[in-house]
Amino acid sequence: MKTAMIKLSVAALLSASAAFGAFAQEFTKGVVNKVDAKANKVTIKHGDLKNLDMPAMTMVFRVEEPALLERLKEGSTIEFAAERVNGKLTVTEVK
């Protein structure tokens, strides 16, 4: 009986955290101006970043995942998520 309750509790917790994660990422439209693979940075002209309370502008972001940089091409329109990672604005996901 206790094992079944523990499994049910774990399943509920995992389900809730997955749902929260799905809503946590907010995507913003932007245009890639420059890709600097050596510095792991990308310059994006973007719309409002509501999760960062930032208006539309052009700015440089860090990119921690080299695989993300490979998907970014100058002039391309993207949808992306950005967060503060260790105090630095970082692209965390790209559609």
Side-chain angles (χ1 to χ4, degrees):
M1 184 77 161
K2 285 185 180 181
T3 303
M5 290 181 77
I6 291 172
K7 286 181 181 178
L8 183 59
S9 296
V10 169
L13 181 61
L14 289 174
S15 178
S17 66
F20 177 77
F23 293 112
Q25 290 287 9
E26 182 172 324
F27 287 87
T28 302
K29 291 182 180 181
V31 177
V32 177
N33 284 358
K34 181 180 178 184
V35 177
D36 185 348
K38 290 179 184 177
N40 290 330
K41 294 182 179 181
V42 61
T43 304
I44 302 173
K45 181 178 180 182
H46 61 80
D48 293 344
L49 293 169
K50 294 176 185 172
N51 65 317
L52 296 171
D53 196 27
M54 186 175 295
M57 66 178 77
T58 301
M59 61 181 297
V60 178
F61 293 89
R62 286 185 49 220
V63 178
E64 290 187 338
E65 304 257 346
L68 276 180
L69 276 177
E70 293 172 8
R71 295 173 40 203
L72 301 174
K73 304 287 181 231
E74 292 180 18
S76 62
T77 300
I78 60 169
E79 287 188 42
F80 70 102
E83 297 178 19
R84 286 195 191 278
V85 177
N86 297 323
K88 301 195 183 210
L89 296 173
T90 305
V91 173
T92 56
E93 207 171 333
V94 176
K95 284 189 188 180

